[in-house]
Amino acid sequence: MLAIVLVGIGGFLGSVLRYLVGGWVHRALDNPWFPYGTLFVNLIGCLVIGFLGGLAENRQVFAPETRLFLFLGVLGGFTTFSSFPYETSALLNDGQIVLASFNVGLQVIFGLVAVWLGSFLSRLI
């Protein structure tokens, strides 16, 4: 039962943070033709999970309960994989094939790079 509560509370916090950060990026860039808020949130989430995952693997700094809270809860709620295909589909439905392809490329390639970078950075400290 504790695991469910930890993941639930973390998910709530991550989702609220996603809403706030994604909205802030969208308003700051004032560019409605591309989902920069989702891209930013996903890349930050990938960087953070790579970094924290590296710390967890290399230094065993997190208790199992902390990992549940942070990895599955907070970061699971913060990143927006379901938003990514939805927004890509919307771009395709609007005939924006190049932008949709650009979105897929950025999300996947930079997401993988961010996870790698976060893991690399965790080994430096």
Side-chain angles (χ1 to χ4, degrees), residues 43 46-47 50 106-120:
L43 294 180
C46 287
L47 179 68
L106 287 176
Q107 297 278 359
V108 173
I109 292 169
F110 287 140
L112 289 170
V113 168
V115 168
W116 176 84
L117 180 62
S119 181
F120 174 78

Side-chain angles (χ1 to χ4, degrees), residues 52-63:
L52 295 179
L55 288 179
E57 291 173 20
N58 299 321
R59 307 242 168 98
Q60 288 79 38
V61 295
F62 299 115

